[in-house]
Amino acid sequence: MKYTQLTIAALMAFSLSACFSLPAGPPGPQGATGDTGAQGSTGYTGAKGATGSTGYTGATGATGDTGDTGATGYTGATGDTGATGNTGARGSTGAKGTTSDTVVIVPAR
């Protein structure tokens, strides 16, 4: 029976230890940097080809003569302005009326 109790206690301790976690320790030293490989050579660039010559541009054609401009036509004479008419006689103004005093009586409400 003694082994059974010890076995049960060991299994309980082992199962409870899975529930706990401890913080990580300090980081280790950094490893050395590896060697860089040799740089490859640059390939050969071919020679540049020749550029063709420019073709011939044709001659410029002649410009034709300018035609004559026709004569300017005659402008007719300006007509006479008619005589100014008479203004009619001025009418008279009617007689002026007289002013009288008027009394207005307003009844109380």
Side-chain angles (χ1 to χ4, degrees), residues 52-105:
S53 61
T54 304
Y56 171 73
T57 304
T60 304
T63 304
D65 293 333
T66 303
D68 291 335
T69 302
T72 304
Y74 172 74
T75 303
T78 304
D80 292 336
T81 303
T84 304
N86 291 331
T87 303
R90 188 171 182 177
S92 62
T93 304
K96 190 171 186 182
T98 60
T99 306
S100 65
D101 294 334
T102 304
V103 178
V104 178
I105 300 173

mmCIF file of all heavy atoms in Angstrom, residues 52-105:
data_model
loop_
_atom_site.group_PDB
_atom_site.id
_atom_site.type_symbol
_atom_site.label_atom_id
_atom_site.label_comp_id
_atom_site.label_asym_id
_atom_site.label_seq_id
_atom_site.Cartn_x
_atom_site.Cartn_y
_atom_site.Cartn_z
ATOM 1 N N GLY A 52 22.679 54.779 -88.338
ATOM 2 C CA GLY A 52 22.548 55.030 -89.774
ATOM 3 C C GLY A 52 22.550 56.518 -90.097
ATOM 4 O O GLY A 52 22.229 57.349 -89.260
ATOM 5 N N SER A 53 22.903 56.883 -91.337
ATOM 6 C CA SER A 53 22.948 58.289 -91.744
ATOM 7 C C SER A 53 21.534 58.815 -91.956
ATOM 8 O O SER A 53 20.603 58.061 -92.188
ATOM 9 C CB SER A 53 23.760 58.429 -93.033
ATOM 10 O OG SER A 53 23.139 57.683 -94.059
ATOM 11 N N THR A 54 21.397 60.153 -91.883
ATOM 12 C CA THR A 54 20.108 60.799 -92.046
ATOM 13 C C THR A 54 19.763 60.898 -93.526
ATOM 14 O O THR A 54 20.614 61.251 -94.333
ATOM 15 C CB THR A 54 20.157 62.215 -91.437
ATOM 16 O OG1 THR A 54 20.566 62.090 -90.082
ATOM 17 C CG2 THR A 54 18.810 62.883 -91.492
ATOM 18 N N GLY A 55 18.531 60.609 -93.877
ATOM 19 C CA GLY A 55 18.095 60.655 -95.274
ATOM 20 C C GLY A 55 17.995 62.089 -95.793
ATOM 21 O O GLY A 55 17.943 63.037 -95.022
ATOM 22 N N TYR A 56 17.927 62.280 -97.136
ATOM 23 C CA TYR A 56 17.875 63.579 -97.806
ATOM 24 C C TYR A 56 16.491 64.191 -97.642
ATOM 25 O O TYR A 56 15.473 63.522 -97.791
ATOM 26 C CB TYR A 56 18.195 63.392 -99.306
ATOM 27 C CG TYR A 56 17.964 64.633 -100.129
ATOM 28 C CD1 TYR A 56 18.836 65.718 -100.031
ATOM 29 C CD2 TYR A 56 16.876 64.731 -100.984
ATOM 30 C CE1 TYR A 56 18.628 66.858 -100.783
ATOM 31 C CE2 TYR A 56 16.661 65.861 -101.744
ATOM 32 C CZ TYR A 56 17.540 66.944 -101.635
ATOM 33 O OH TYR A 56 17.335 68.065 -102.377
ATOM 34 N N THR A 57 16.464 65.475 -97.320
ATOM 35 C CA THR A 57 15.201 66.195 -97.229
ATOM 36 C C THR A 57 14.971 66.902 -98.549
ATOM 37 O O THR A 57 15.863 67.568 -99.050
ATOM 38 C CB THR A 57 15.255 67.234 -96.089
ATOM 39 O OG1 THR A 57 15.585 66.560 -94.889
ATOM 40 C CG2 THR A 57 13.947 67.954 -95.950
ATOM 41 N N GLY A 58 13.823 66.781 -99.136
ATOM 42 C CA GLY A 58 13.538 67.381 -100.456
ATOM 43 C C GLY A 58 13.602 68.905 -100.435
ATOM 44 O O GLY A 58 13.473 69.536 -99.391
ATOM 45 N N ALA A 59 13.807 69.525 -101.617
ATOM 46 C CA ALA A 59 13.889 70.981 -101.745
ATOM 47 C C ALA A 59 12.523 71.598 -101.473
ATOM 48 O O ALA A 59 11.486 70.972 -101.685
ATOM 49 C CB ALA A 59 14.352 71.351 -103.146
ATOM 50 N N THR A 60 12.521 72.863 -101.026
ATOM 51 C CA THR A 60 11.278 73.576 -100.744
ATOM 52 C C THR A 60 10.719 74.137 -102.043
ATOM 53 O O THR A 60 11.448 74.708 -102.843
ATOM 54 C CB THR A 60 11.553 74.733 -99.769
ATOM 55 O OG1 THR A 60 12.167 74.186 -98.600
ATOM 56 C CG2 THR A 60 10.283 75.433 -99.387
ATOM 57 N N GLY A 61 9.427 73.979 -102.279
ATOM 58 C CA GLY A 61 8.797 74.467 -103.507
ATOM 59 C C GLY A 61 8.682 75.989 -103.535
ATOM 60 O O GLY A 61 8.718 76.640 -102.495
ATOM 61 N N ALA A 62 8.521 76.576 -104.744
ATOM 62 C CA ALA A 62 8.397 78.026 -104.918
ATOM 63 C C ALA A 62 7.020 78.488 -104.469
ATOM 64 O O ALA A 62 6.057 77.737 -104.515
ATOM 65 C CB ALA A 62 8.610 78.389 -106.382
ATOM 66 N N THR A 63 6.937 79.765 -104.048
ATOM 67 C CA THR A 63 5.676 80.346 -103.641
ATOM 68 C C THR A 63 5.104 81.120 -104.814
ATOM 69 O O THR A 63 5.815 81.881 -105.463
ATOM 70 C CB THR A 63 5.894 81.309 -102.452
ATOM 71 O OG1 THR A 63 6.535 80.587 -101.409
ATOM 72 C CG2 THR A 63 4.596 81.884 -101.966
ATOM 73 N N GLY A 64 3.829 80.957 -105.117
ATOM 74 C CA GLY A 64 3.199 81.633 -106.265
ATOM 75 C C GLY A 64 3.080 83.135 -106.066
ATOM 76 O O GLY A 64 3.151 83.637 -104.944
ATOM 77 N N ASP A 65 2.883 83.891 -107.182
ATOM 78 C CA ASP A 65 2.717 85.341 -107.120
ATOM 79 C C ASP A 65 1.425 85.685 -106.401
ATOM 80 O O ASP A 65 0.448 84.937 -106.440
ATOM 81 C CB ASP A 65 2.648 85.937 -108.543
ATOM 82 C CG ASP A 65 3.982 85.784 -109.266
ATOM 83 O OD1 ASP A 65 5.014 85.731 -108.563
ATOM 84 O OD2 ASP A 65 3.976 85.707 -110.504
ATOM 85 N N THR A 66 1.417 86.887 -105.791
ATOM 86 C CA THR A 66 0.228 87.362 -105.114
ATOM 87 C C THR A 66 -0.669 88.057 -106.131
ATOM 88 O O THR A 66 -0.194 88.850 -106.943
ATOM 89 C CB THR A 66 0.612 88.369 -104.012
ATOM 90 O OG1 THR A 66 1.522 87.735 -103.133
ATOM 91 C CG2 THR A 66 -0.592 88.827 -103.248
ATOM 92 N N GLY A 67 -1.959 87.779 -106.136
ATOM 93 C CA GLY A 67 -2.889 88.367 -107.104
ATOM 94 C C GLY A 67 -3.156 89.840 -106.814
ATOM 95 O O GLY A 67 -2.949 90.325 -105.711
ATOM 96 N N ASP A 68 -3.633 90.607 -107.844
ATOM 97 C CA ASP A 68 -3.966 92.023 -107.688
ATOM 98 C C ASP A 68 -5.226 92.175 -106.852
ATOM 99 O O ASP A 68 -6.104 91.318 -106.862
ATOM 100 C CB ASP A 68 -4.227 92.674 -109.061
ATOM 101 C CG ASP A 68 -2.942 92.761 -109.869
ATOM 102 O OD1 ASP A 68 -1.865 92.785 -109.241
ATOM 103 O OD2 ASP A 68 -3.030 92.799 -111.102
ATOM 104 N N THR A 69 -5.292 93.305 -106.153
ATOM 105 C CA THR A 69 -6.472 93.632 -105.373
ATOM 106 C C THR A 69 -7.319 94.589 -106.207
ATOM 107 O O THR A 69 -6.793 95.556 -106.763
ATOM 108 C CB THR A 69 -6.080 94.315 -104.055
ATOM 109 O OG1 THR A 69 -5.212 93.439 -103.352
ATOM 110 C CG2 THR A 69 -7.286 94.635 -103.221
ATOM 111 N N GLY A 70 -8.609 94.373 -106.314
ATOM 112 C CA GLY A 70 -9.491 95.208 -107.129
ATOM 113 C C GLY A 70 -9.605 96.627 -106.579
ATOM 114 O O GLY A 70 -9.350 96.883 -105.413
ATOM 115 N N ALA A 71 -10.008 97.575 -107.436
ATOM 116 C CA ALA A 71 -10.175 98.980 -107.046
ATOM 117 C C ALA A 71 -11.324 99.106 -106.067
ATOM 118 O O ALA A 71 -12.261 98.312 -106.078
ATOM 119 C CB ALA A 71 -10.443 99.832 -108.274
ATOM 120 N N THR A 72 -11.265 100.127 -105.208
ATOM 121 C CA THR A 72 -12.320 100.368 -104.233
ATOM 122 C C THR A 72 -13.487 101.058 -104.924
ATOM 123 O O THR A 72 -13.288 102.001 -105.686
ATOM 124 C CB THR A 72 -11.791 101.266 -103.095
ATOM 125 O OG1 THR A 72 -10.651 100.638 -102.535
ATOM 126 C CG2 THR A 72 -12.829 101.486 -102.038
ATOM 127 N N GLY A 73 -14.715 100.629 -104.672
ATOM 128 C CA GLY A 73 -15.903 101.206 -105.306
ATOM 129 C C GLY A 73 -16.210 102.611 -104.786
ATOM 130 O O GLY A 73 -15.761 103.005 -103.720
ATOM 131 N N TYR A 74 -17.037 103.412 -105.525
ATOM 132 C CA TYR A 74 -17.417 104.793 -105.196
ATOM 133 C C TYR A 74 -18.468 104.789 -104.108
ATOM 134 O O TYR A 74 -19.387 103.991 -104.115
ATOM 135 C CB TYR A 74 -17.946 105.494 -106.473
ATOM 136 C CG TYR A 74 -18.540 106.850 -106.202
ATOM 137 C CD1 TYR A 74 -17.697 107.935 -105.905
ATOM 138 C CD2 TYR A 74 -19.907 107.055 -106.240
ATOM 139 C CE1 TYR A 74 -18.243 109.192 -105.666
ATOM 140 C CE2 TYR A 74 -20.438 108.297 -106.007
ATOM 141 C CZ TYR A 74 -19.604 109.377 -105.704
ATOM 142 O OH TYR A 74 -20.132 110.611 -105.456
ATOM 143 N N THR A 75 -18.311 105.726 -103.146
ATOM 144 C CA THR A 75 -19.305 105.873 -102.093
ATOM 145 C C THR A 75 -20.222 107.018 -102.489
ATOM 146 O O THR A 75 -19.747 108.101 -102.843
ATOM 147 C CB THR A 75 -18.622 106.204 -100.751
ATOM 148 O OG1 THR A 75 -17.700 105.177 -100.463
ATOM 149 C CG2 THR A 75 -19.628 106.316 -99.641
ATOM 150 N N GLY A 76 -21.521 106.832 -102.435
ATOM 151 C CA GLY A 76 -22.475 107.848 -102.863
ATOM 152 C C GLY A 76 -22.444 109.096 -101.985
ATOM 153 O O GLY A 76 -21.981 109.060 -100.849
ATOM 154 N N ALA A 77 -22.984 110.239 -102.508
ATOM 155 C CA ALA A 77 -23.019 111.509 -101.785
ATOM 156 C C ALA A 77 -24.000 111.409 -100.634
ATOM 157 O O ALA A 77 -24.944 110.624 -100.669
ATOM 158 C CB ALA A 77 -23.434 112.627 -102.728
ATOM 159 N N THR A 78 -23.772 112.237 -99.598
ATOM 160 C CA THR A 78 -24.651 112.251 -98.436
ATOM 161 C C THR A 78 -25.857 113.125 -98.744
ATOM 162 O O THR A 78 -25.714 114.228 -99.266
ATOM 163 C CB THR A 78 -23.897 112.817 -97.217
ATOM 164 O OG1 THR A 78 -22.730 112.046 -97.022
ATOM 165 C CG2 THR A 78 -24.743 112.793 -95.978
ATOM 166 N N GLY A 79 -27.076 112.684 -98.430
ATOM 167 C CA GLY A 79 -28.297 113.443 -98.712
ATOM 168 C C GLY A 79 -28.460 114.644 -97.791
ATOM 169 O O GLY A 79 -27.881 114.698 -96.718
ATOM 170 N N ASP A 80 -29.299 115.657 -98.216
ATOM 171 C CA ASP A 80 -29.571 116.851 -97.419
ATOM 172 C C ASP A 80 -30.458 116.499 -96.234
ATOM 173 O O ASP A 80 -31.244 115.551 -96.285
ATOM 174 C CB ASP A 80 -30.301 117.911 -98.262
ATOM 175 C CG ASP A 80 -29.388 118.473 -99.337
ATOM 176 O OD1 ASP A 80 -28.145 118.407 -99.127
ATOM 177 O OD2 ASP A 80 -29.902 118.953 -100.355
ATOM 178 N N THR A 81 -30.304 117.312 -95.174
ATOM 179 C CA THR A 81 -31.151 117.162 -94.003
ATOM 180 C C THR A 81 -32.305 118.133 -94.140
ATOM 181 O O THR A 81 -32.098 119.288 -94.494
ATOM 182 C CB THR A 81 -30.355 117.487 -92.723
ATOM 183 O OG1 THR A 81 -29.230 116.637 -92.682
ATOM 184 C CG2 THR A 81 -31.185 117.278 -91.485
ATOM 185 N N GLY A 82 -33.525 117.709 -93.873
ATOM 186 C CA GLY A 82 -34.703 118.563 -94.032
ATOM 187 C C GLY A 82 -34.706 119.722 -93.051
ATOM 188 O O GLY A 82 -34.041 119.686 -92.017
ATOM 189 N N ALA A 83 -35.524 120.783 -93.350
ATOM 190 C CA ALA A 83 -35.641 121.981 -92.502
ATOM 191 C C ALA A 83 -36.334 121.614 -91.211
ATOM 192 O O ALA A 83 -37.128 120.674 -91.159
ATOM 193 C CB ALA A 83 -36.424 123.054 -93.234
ATOM 194 N N THR A 84 -36.014 122.382 -90.143
ATOM 195 C CA THR A 84 -36.620 122.142 -88.844
ATOM 196 C C THR A 84 -37.984 122.805 -88.808
ATOM 197 O O THR A 84 -38.119 123.974 -89.210
ATOM 198 C CB THR A 84 -35.739 122.730 -87.731
ATOM 199 O OG1 THR A 84 -34.442 122.170 -87.860
ATOM 200 C CG2 THR A 84 -36.285 122.425 -86.378
ATOM 201 N N GLY A 85 -39.024 122.111 -88.342
ATOM 202 C CA GLY A 85 -40.384 122.676 -88.292
ATOM 203 C C GLY A 85 -40.559 123.645 -87.142
ATOM 204 O O GLY A 85 -39.792 123.653 -86.189
ATOM 205 N N ASN A 86 -41.622 124.510 -87.220
ATOM 206 C CA ASN A 86 -41.935 125.477 -86.164
ATOM 207 C C ASN A 86 -42.556 124.763 -84.978
ATOM 208 O O ASN A 86 -43.226 123.737 -85.124
ATOM 209 C CB ASN A 86 -42.922 126.539 -86.664
ATOM 210 C CG ASN A 86 -42.277 127.446 -87.692
ATOM 211 O OD1 ASN A 86 -41.080 127.654 -87.649
ATOM 212 N ND2 ASN A 86 -43.089 127.978 -88.608
ATOM 213 N N THR A 87 -42.339 125.356 -83.790
ATOM 214 C CA THR A 87 -42.939 124.821 -82.583
ATOM 215 C C THR A 87 -44.233 125.567 -82.355
ATOM 216 O O THR A 87 -44.281 126.792 -82.493
ATOM 217 C CB THR A 87 -41.991 125.042 -81.383
ATOM 218 O OG1 THR A 87 -40.753 124.439 -81.677
ATOM 219 C CG2 THR A 87 -42.557 124.443 -80.121
ATOM 220 N N GLY A 88 -45.295 124.894 -81.997
ATOM 221 C CA GLY A 88 -46.605 125.520 -81.802
ATOM 222 C C GLY A 88 -46.609 126.504 -80.629
ATOM 223 O O GLY A 88 -45.723 126.502 -79.795
ATOM 224 N N ALA A 89 -47.691 127.367 -80.559
ATOM 225 C CA ALA A 89 -47.830 128.364 -79.495
ATOM 226 C C ALA A 89 -48.032 127.678 -78.169
ATOM 227 O O ALA A 89 -48.568 126.575 -78.100
ATOM 228 C CB ALA A 89 -49.013 129.265 -79.803
ATOM 229 N N ARG A 90 -47.634 128.408 -77.098
ATOM 230 C CA ARG A 90 -47.707 127.836 -75.771
ATOM 231 C C ARG A 90 -49.089 128.106 -75.193
ATOM 232 O O ARG A 90 -49.565 129.249 -75.255
ATOM 233 C CB ARG A 90 -46.632 128.491 -74.919
ATOM 234 C CG ARG A 90 -46.487 127.866 -73.592
ATOM 235 C CD ARG A 90 -45.265 128.423 -72.924
ATOM 236 N NE ARG A 90 -45.088 127.793 -71.657
ATOM 237 C CZ ARG A 90 -44.111 128.007 -70.862
ATOM 238 N NH1 ARG A 90 -43.171 128.842 -71.225
ATOM 239 N NH2 ARG A 90 -44.022 127.402 -69.711
ATOM 240 N N GLY A 91 -49.726 127.094 -74.615
ATOM 241 C CA GLY A 91 -51.062 127.261 -74.049
ATOM 242 C C GLY A 91 -51.031 128.018 -72.731
ATOM 243 O O GLY A 91 -50.022 128.065 -72.062
ATOM 244 N N SER A 92 -52.189 128.604 -72.358
ATOM 245 C CA SER A 92 -52.275 129.364 -71.102
ATOM 246 C C SER A 92 -52.662 128.431 -69.972
ATOM 247 O O SER A 92 -53.215 127.365 -70.193
ATOM 248 C CB SER A 92 -53.292 130.488 -71.248
ATOM 249 O OG SER A 92 -54.559 129.938 -71.505
ATOM 250 N N THR A 93 -52.345 128.887 -68.742
ATOM 251 C CA THR A 93 -52.669 128.113 -67.552
ATOM 252 C C THR A 93 -53.999 128.613 -67.019
ATOM 253 O O THR A 93 -54.263 129.826 -67.036
ATOM 254 C CB THR A 93 -51.576 128.321 -66.483
ATOM 255 O OG1 THR A 93 -50.334 127.979 -67.059
ATOM 256 C CG2 THR A 93 -51.813 127.464 -65.280
ATOM 257 N N GLY A 94 -54.825 127.741 -66.495
ATOM 258 C CA GLY A 94 -56.130 128.136 -65.978
ATOM 259 C C GLY A 94 -56.013 129.067 -64.772
ATOM 260 O O GLY A 94 -54.963 129.211 -64.179
ATOM 261 N N ALA A 95 -57.162 129.702 -64.410
ATOM 262 C CA ALA A 95 -57.198 130.638 -63.285
ATOM 263 C C ALA A 95 -56.920 129.915 -62.001
ATOM 264 O O ALA A 95 -57.222 128.736 -61.856
ATOM 265 C CB ALA A 95 -58.564 131.303 -63.235
ATOM 266 N N LYS A 96 -56.331 130.667 -60.997
ATOM 267 C CA LYS A 96 -55.968 130.081 -59.719
ATOM 268 C C LYS A 96 -57.140 130.217 -58.768
ATOM 269 O O LYS A 96 -57.720 131.296 -58.642
ATOM 270 C CB LYS A 96 -54.757 130.822 -59.191
ATOM 271 C CG LYS A 96 -54.131 130.180 -58.005
ATOM 272 C CD LYS A 96 -52.798 130.858 -57.679
ATOM 273 C CE LYS A 96 -52.120 130.110 -56.570
ATOM 274 N NZ LYS A 96 -50.872 130.696 -56.171
ATOM 275 N N GLY A 97 -57.516 129.147 -58.081
ATOM 276 C CA GLY A 97 -58.634 129.190 -57.154
ATOM 277 C C GLY A 97 -58.244 129.818 -55.821
ATOM 278 O O GLY A 97 -57.083 129.993 -55.525
ATOM 279 N N THR A 98 -59.300 130.178 -54.994
ATOM 280 C CA THR A 98 -59.059 130.770 -53.676
ATOM 281 C C THR A 98 -59.131 129.690 -52.628
ATOM 282 O O THR A 98 -59.758 128.648 -52.809
ATOM 283 C CB THR A 98 -60.107 131.842 -53.377
ATOM 284 O OG1 THR A 98 -61.374 131.241 -53.398
ATOM 285 C CG2 THR A 98 -60.030 132.976 -54.347
ATOM 286 N N THR A 99 -58.521 129.976 -51.445
ATOM 287 C CA THR A 99 -58.498 129.026 -50.335
ATOM 288 C C THR A 99 -59.460 129.512 -49.275
ATOM 289 O O THR A 99 -59.473 130.703 -48.941
ATOM 290 C CB THR A 99 -57.076 128.935 -49.740
ATOM 291 O OG1 THR A 99 -56.177 128.644 -50.783
ATOM 292 C CG2 THR A 99 -57.005 127.900 -48.678
ATOM 293 N N SER A 100 -60.275 128.635 -48.695
ATOM 294 C CA SER A 100 -61.186 129.024 -47.611
ATOM 295 C C SER A 100 -60.935 128.116 -46.422
ATOM 296 O O SER A 100 -60.450 127.003 -46.570
ATOM 297 C CB SER A 100 -62.628 128.914 -48.084
ATOM 298 O OG SER A 100 -62.931 127.582 -48.365
ATOM 299 N N ASP A 101 -61.364 128.599 -45.194
ATOM 300 C CA ASP A 101 -61.199 127.789 -43.994
ATOM 301 C C ASP A 101 -62.333 126.816 -43.882
ATOM 302 O O ASP A 101 -63.507 127.162 -44.078
ATOM 303 C CB ASP A 101 -61.193 128.695 -42.752
ATOM 304 C CG ASP A 101 -59.971 129.592 -42.739
ATOM 305 O OD1 ASP A 101 -58.931 129.184 -43.349
ATOM 306 O OD2 ASP A 101 -60.018 130.672 -42.135
ATOM 307 N N THR A 102 -62.018 125.521 -43.512
ATOM 308 C CA THR A 102 -63.025 124.501 -43.388
ATOM 309 C C THR A 102 -62.949 123.944 -41.974
ATOM 310 O O THR A 102 -61.864 123.627 -41.477
ATOM 311 C CB THR A 102 -62.769 123.343 -44.392
ATOM 312 O OG1 THR A 102 -62.713 123.906 -45.691
ATOM 313 C CG2 THR A 102 -63.862 122.298 -44.320
ATOM 314 N N VAL A 103 -64.111 123.747 -41.293
ATOM 315 C CA VAL A 103 -64.165 123.173 -39.936
ATOM 316 C C VAL A 103 -64.747 121.787 -40.076
ATOM 317 O O VAL A 103 -65.822 121.606 -40.658
ATOM 318 C CB VAL A 103 -65.013 124.055 -39.016
ATOM 319 C CG1 VAL A 103 -65.119 123.442 -37.624
ATOM 320 C CG2 VAL A 103 -64.436 125.455 -38.952
ATOM 321 N N VAL A 104 -64.060 120.789 -39.484
ATOM 322 C CA VAL A 104 -64.527 119.414 -39.512
ATOM 323 C C VAL A 104 -64.883 119.016 -38.102
ATOM 324 O O VAL A 104 -64.053 119.136 -37.191
ATOM 325 C CB VAL A 104 -63.465 118.470 -40.100
ATOM 326 C CG1 VAL A 104 -63.960 117.027 -40.083
ATOM 327 C CG2 VAL A 104 -63.101 118.894 -41.497
ATOM 328 N N ILE A 105 -66.064 118.472 -37.842
ATOM 329 C CA ILE A 105 -66.499 118.055 -36.514
ATOM 330 C C ILE A 105 -66.572 116.532 -36.519
ATOM 331 O O ILE A 105 -67.240 115.922 -37.348
ATOM 332 C CB ILE A 105 -67.870 118.648 -36.163
ATOM 333 C CG1 ILE A 105 -67.789 120.201 -36.189
ATOM 334 C CG2 ILE A 105 -68.360 118.145 -34.832
ATOM 335 C CD1 ILE A 105 -69.098 120.879 -36.016
#
